[in-house]
Amino acid sequence: IGFGLSFKVVALDPNFRKLSPEHIASAYRRTTSRAILLDYDGTMMPQTSINKTPSSEVLAVLNTLCSDPKNVVFIVSGRGRQTLSDWFSPCECLGIAAEHGFFFRWRRSAEWETCIPVTHFDWKQVVEPIMKLYTESTDGSFIEAKESALVWHHDDADPDFGSSQAKELLDHLESVLANEPVSVKSGQQIVEVKPQGVSKGLIVEKLLSLMVQRSTPADFILCVGDDRSDEDMFETIAGAMAGPPQSPIVEVFACTVGQKPSKARYYLADTVEVVKMLQGLAVASESGTWNTSHLVLDSSL
């Protein structure tokens, strides 16, 4: 409705609410086969940070969660696999999905796999010159060449001009690439071209189905992300829960960062709250491990 106002009214789902650390920690303690999927930029690391490398605090909480045998923990990011591999090298048991899941590996010692078979990247020869034209006419923009994708960034451009250029570039690429096996998407200050079928949701699907194959279907799913690409994960989880049951009772926590329209049921205010929530789960893991070993010691007396 146009009232000539400078803001837009958004409707939030009445069931959308803030994630209570106590509520999730209680569900965490009750469960024994947990899938934890975490976006990185904007979720565990503020978008505004100059230095994007994970802090010792983040690495410590991930290592604690990974060392709990009841957990499968994945970082699911749009970043390239080499960067993520370097940044998270201290986390031996952490799964990583890079470039929105195009590449993934189950732990540090595992080989990288691809989520879909891609035979060629010829479309890059069409996309790059077009993106270069927009880069030349938009101060503060640049092209990021990934192994599986090309991304045009306009974070440092004039906000209004950058947004209008992004919209124009999106339309231009969509028309030129109509018959190519690619998808053209806009995100937070980006326009990205990547192979069709690649999404963070596909990684969620693979992980949950693998847990079923291993006879350890997830009874707890935590998925946290902050942007459009993470909505694919929330959608996949909702679809999986609507289908045949993963396990009789599944505790699901799909959580976005910031109070905004989302397919997630929960939100946390910012990256600080996300890390605090994960630290709460790590404490529950540590106390659970201590209790188990304590019981084992007692029973041997």
Side-chain angles (χ1 to χ4, degrees):
I1 311 163
F3 295 115
L5 300 174
S6 61
F7 59 86
K8 57 183 179 184
V9 179
V10 294
L12 296 173
D13 187 309
N15 295 319
F16 185 63
R17 58 184 184 273
K18 187 153 192 183
L19 180 57
S20 150
E22 295 76 24
H23 176 44
I24 190 170
S26 165
Y28 185 86
R29 287 189 200 95
R30 288 195 304 272
T31 49
T32 57
S33 181
R34 311 183 193 111
I36 299 172
L37 300 122
L38 306 165
D39 171 48
Y40 182 66
D41 290 273
T43 298
M44 302 189 75
M45 170 61 62
Q47 292 283 12
T48 51
S49 290
I50 305 297
N51 179 7
K52 299 285 191 181
T53 56
S55 63
S56 54
E57 181 183 49
V58 163
L59 293 172
V61 76
L62 288 173
N63 267 331
T64 304
L65 292 171
C66 288
S67 63
D68 187 327
K70 296 174 183 174
N71 294 344
V72 179
V73 186
F74 254 81
I75 288 284
V76 187
S77 170
R79 286 188 178 269
R81 55 179 170 168
Q82 193 54 57
T83 300
L84 295 171
S85 196
D86 293 344
W87 283 357
F88 295 102
S89 59
C91 305
E92 192 183 335
C93 300
L94 179 69
I96 294 177
E99 302 198 7
H100 295 126
F102 183 80
F103 297 108
F104 66 95
R105 70 177 188 202
W106 298 101
R107 54 188 297 128
R108 192 176 67 197
S109 58
E111 291 293 316
W112 287 100
E113 301 175 48
T114 55
C115 70
I116 56 168
V118 172
T119 50
H120 73 86
F121 290 98
D122 297 353
W123 52 266
K124 283 187 177 183
Q125 292 161 16
V126 176
V127 172
E128 197 160 11
I130 295 170
M131 284 188 171
K132 273 186 176 156
L133 285 175
Y134 283 81
T135 305
E136 284 159 12
S137 62
T138 315
D139 284 347
S141 69
F142 68 94
I143 300 166
E144 178 191 3
K146 297 182 182 178
E147 289 180 79
S148 71
L150 285 170
V151 190
W152 187 74
H153 292 259
H154 59 97
D155 320 45
D156 299 327
D158 172 82
D160 292 338
F161 186 62
S163 295
S164 71
Q165 287 287 83
K167 175 78 178 71
E168 201 178 293
L169 173 59
L170 187 77
D171 293 344
H172 190 159
L173 290 171
E174 279 179 340
S175 63
V176 169
L177 299 169
N179 298 319
E180 292 287 344
V182 295
S183 73
V184 185
K185 292 261 174 89
S186 63
Q188 290 187 343
Q189 276 90 46
I190 64 157
V191 174
E192 180 165 31
V193 184
K194 60 184 180 181
Q196 226 159 33
V198 174
S199 82
K200 289 185 174 185
L202 202 54
I203 284 296
V204 176
E205 224 170 87
K206 277 188 182 294
L207 177 57
L208 295 180
S209 61
L210 186 76
M211 290 174 81
V212 170
Q213 284 167 32
R214 288 180 174 172
S215 303
T216 54
D219 57 6
F220 173 100
I221 301 169
L222 168 62
C223 181
V224 192
D226 75 307
D227 73 9
R228 284 187 199 179
S229 64
D230 302 308
E231 294 294 322
D232 292 333
M233 294 201 282
F234 304 147
E235 197 169 5
T236 300
I237 290 167
M241 293 308 103
Q246 295 281 323
S247 63
I249 298 168
V250 188
E251 300 277 4
V252 178
F253 298 92
C255 178
T256 190
V257 182
Q259 199 171 352
K260 57 180 182 278
S262 171
K263 295 185 181 83
R265 189 173 171 187
Y266 298 96
Y267 73 91
L268 287 169
D270 52 28
T271 57
V272 174
E273 287 194 353
V274 172
V275 174
K276 271 189 184 160
M277 177 271 293
L278 294 172
Q279 285 170 331
L281 302 187
V283 167
S285 269
E286 286 177 322
S287 60
T289 307
W290 186 86
N291 287 337
T292 309
S293 59
H294 189 61
L295 287 170
V296 171
L297 284 171
D298 281 351
S299 64
S300 63
L301 294 174

